[in-house]
Structure formats: structure tokens, C-alpha cells
Amino acid sequence: MQKRARTLLVWLHVVTSVGWMSQAVALLALLLYGMESGDVHAFEMARFLDHRVLAVMANISAFSGMMLSATTPWGYFRHWWVLAKFVITVVQLYVGIFILSGNLEAAAQGRVTVWMPVGTSLMISAIAFQAWMSVAKPWGRTPWADPKVKLPTASTAMFVVALVVPAADFAVSLHSGGPRPLFMLVTVIAYSITRAARGRNRSSDASGRGTSGRPARPGATAPGPR
């Protein structure tokens, strides 16, 4: 059951990532058409596409990817390719929410900037690069990865939560008329903090296990000098 739930989360991440990239390509096409033709309706459609479809796909893709890292032995900071994907995703979300959306709103009102297609092209390139990293898994472990500690895979219940939470946020977004990833944000932060605390405990236990300065088990005595 655990493997099946994890597979469903992987499937959700792949589908929404592909959706994010395809909507970004469609957004770029609308922006280029609007700038070439001067048709303000193209920018209105681009704004609608970004607000109602692309943002939803981006939020669920980011959430499912972060939860896959947090609920499996990969972690966030143990491998360079996972860390790179994490940083790129956070930057993309920031740019999309605080920069691109505002410029699309201005474009729908007739104030067009040439940086919009540039930013959208960079978004497409970043998603494609992340897809390559997921396949190639380059660069090995980070210096912060303790080789003595292997983080366990989360329980089936946690994978089920990771599948249900996006549906709850999507229902809220339909009611509110815009993307509201509140439950996803709370889940990622809360579970990541809990996971990090458990990882530190395991790392401390592993670093002291079987050494001469600390008994290997309660009640055991450390070996004397030879």
C-alpha cells in the first residue's frame, strides 16, 4: 500500500510538471501573439491562463516534488540535484507570483513590457532543466549528507495526506476564484520541520554508535585502552 501511494504521488508530480511546462509554452505563445498583433485580448487570455491553470499546476507540482523529497530517503539537502531543483522551484514560484502575474495584469490593461516573454522563456527552460536533473541525477552527495544515516520512507498515511491536500486547496481555489495553496504550504513546512528533527536525532545516534567515547547500547561500558 505504501509503494502504491508513493507511486501515485510520483504520478501527480509528473503530470502537474508537464502541465506547468505546457501552460508556460501556451502563455509564451499568447504573449508573443499579443505583442505582434497588439490584441489586448491575447493578454487577457494569458492572464486568465496564468491565474486559473498555470498557477494551479505550478503549486501542485512544487508541493508534490517537495513532499517526495521530504517523505523519502532523498531528503532536501543530501544530493546536489535535489537541492538544485528545490532552489529553482522556489525562485520560479517567487517570480511567477510576485513579478509575472503583476506584469500580466498590467498587460491586460495595455501596459506591455518586453520582459514578459523573456521571463516565460526562462520558466520553460528551468522546467526542462529540472526534468533533465530528475532523470540524470547528477553531481552526487552534498557535504551535509551523513553517509551513516539513511532517512526512512514515510508511512502510507503521509503519502495519502500528500495526495489529498492538493485536492483540498484546489477546491478552495475554485470557491475563491484564484490559487490558494494554504494547506500545501502548511503541510510542507510542518512535515519538513518534523522530518529534520528526526534526521538530526538519527545523525547524533549514528555518530556515537560503537565508539570508544560512548557505549553502543544502554547499560554497556566503553572499551578500555589497549
Side-chain angles (χ1 to χ4, degrees):
M1 186 66 182
Q2 181 195 56
K3 183 179 180 180
R4 183 175 300 177
R6 178 183 174 182
T7 300
L8 284 174
L9 187 59
V10 173
W11 169 82
L12 179 65
H13 179 61
V14 171
V15 168
T16 52
S17 297
V18 172
W20 186 2
M21 184 171 184
S22 64
Q23 297 308 310
V25 172
L27 183 66
L28 177 61
L30 286 170
L31 291 174
L32 293 175
Y33 172 77
M35 294 179 70
E36 181 180 357
S37 65
D39 187 355
V40 71
H41 296 296
F43 299 115
E44 293 175 352
M45 181 57 69
R47 170 59 178 157
F48 180 84
L49 182 69
D50 173 72
H51 194 62
R52 294 298 184 91
V53 184
L54 188 149
V56 174
M57 291 291 177
N59 288 333
I60 299 177
S61 173
F63 169 77
S64 57
M66 291 178 184
M67 289 303 295
L68 281 170
S69 294
T71 56
T72 62
W74 289 110
Y76 286 130
F77 309 109
R78 297 171 63 84
H79 301 268
W80 283 114
W81 70 273
V82 178
L83 179 58
K85 284 191 65 177
F86 177 79
V87 172
I88 292 172
T89 298
V90 171
V91 171
Q92 283 180 299
L93 292 176
Y94 176 85
V95 172
I97 294 171
F98 297 103
I99 298 178
L100 181 59
S101 291
N103 285 332
L104 287 172
E105 186 70 32
Q109 299 173 4
R111 301 189 301 274
V112 182
T113 172
V114 296
W115 287 107
M116 289 190 300
V118 174
T120 307
S121 299
L122 291 175
M123 180 189 299
I124 296 169
S125 300
I127 298 171
F129 182 57
Q130 287 174 295
W132 172 81
M133 285 191 290
S134 295
V135 175
K137 297 178 176 57
W139 310 318
R141 293 178 179 268
T142 68
W144 311 290
D146 189 343
K148 299 177 182 178
V149 177
K150 181 179 180 180
L151 299 177
T153 301
S155 64
T156 301
M158 196 62 233
F159 284 111
V160 172
V161 168
L163 290 166
V164 172
V165 165
D169 271 336
F170 181 67
V172 172
S173 69
L174 290 177
H175 179 73
S176 62
R180 297 288 186 273
L182 176 61
F183 296 134
M184 289 189 283
L185 182 62
V186 171
T187 302
V188 165
I189 293 175
Y191 186 76
S192 297
I193 291 173
T194 303
R195 178 84 162 188
R198 293 174 181 173
R200 283 195 296 269
N201 291 337
R202 291 189 182 91
S203 181
S204 299
D205 292 342
S207 62
R209 187 178 297 124
T211 63
S212 60
R214 181 178 177 181
R217 62 184 182 279
T221 58
R226 294 182 179 178

